[in-house]
Amino acid sequence: MGTIKIKNIRIYAYHGCLVEEGKIGSDYRVDVSVKADLSKSAKTDNLHDTVDYVHLNKIVKQEMAIRSQLLEQVAKRILDRILVEIPIVKKADVAVSKLNPPIGGNVAMVTIEMSKKR
């Protein structure tokens, strides 16, 4: 078993419960980690035998482009797609962070983390 991580995917999106968030948008950070058997790809040196992190990044970008009120909904969609589209993945973790959230204080970010496994 091995782990592939993509850290600090930066995306501008329009999530949130406030009407203004849907109009103005905000900066987000997404971190993804997947567990899979990487022994075959370590032997074959073939991209088709591993988890393509370009595919992971594409899933994140596409799901972040769909407006949601809650970050939990976005994270769930990302996790679901990873497990459906990349059969080699046994477990996926995702953290979605809203940078400088509008919560009436000096807060760097709020983050939700979720995991899903087969």
Side-chain angles (χ1 to χ4, degrees):
M1 195 65 68
T3 304
I4 293 176
K5 297 179 182 181
I6 303 178
K7 295 183 179 183
N8 203 17
I9 301 169
R10 296 291 190 125
I11 297 175
Y12 198 84
Y14 298 87
H15 307 300
C17 295
L18 302 176
V19 174
E20 300 82 36
E21 293 174 300
K23 294 178 182 176
I24 299 168
S26 187
D27 289 310
Y28 291 84
R29 170 188 171 160
V30 180
D31 299 298
V32 176
S33 175
V34 297
K35 294 209 179 278
D37 182 354
L38 303 178
S39 59
K40 184 175 181 182
S41 60
K43 291 177 188 171
T44 66
D45 196 29
N46 189 327
L47 180 61
H48 297 299
D49 295 330
T50 191
V51 178
D52 184 351
Y53 46 81
V54 172
H55 189 174
L56 291 173
N57 189 53
K58 177 182 159 190
I59 290 170
V60 169
K61 285 181 165 182
Q62 289 175 345
E63 293 305 324
M64 287 295 291
I66 302 168
R67 177 161 161 56
S68 294
Q69 289 190 48
L70 301 178
L71 298 181
E72 291 89 328
Q73 175 65 28
V74 181
K76 179 188 180 311
R77 289 196 316 263
I78 292 169
L79 290 169
D80 288 346
R81 277 195 58 194
I82 289 170
L83 292 177
V84 166
E85 295 180 22
I86 310 172
I88 189 175
V89 171
K90 302 298 181 204
K91 181 183 180 208
D93 302 299
V94 66
V96 180
S97 303
K98 180 181 282 192
L99 307 178
N100 302 310
I103 60 173
N106 186 8
V107 177
M109 73 176 93
V110 293
T111 303
I112 65 98
E113 296 178 358
M114 293 175 70
S115 299
K116 190 170 182 178
K117 58 183 167 182
R118 292 190 192 282

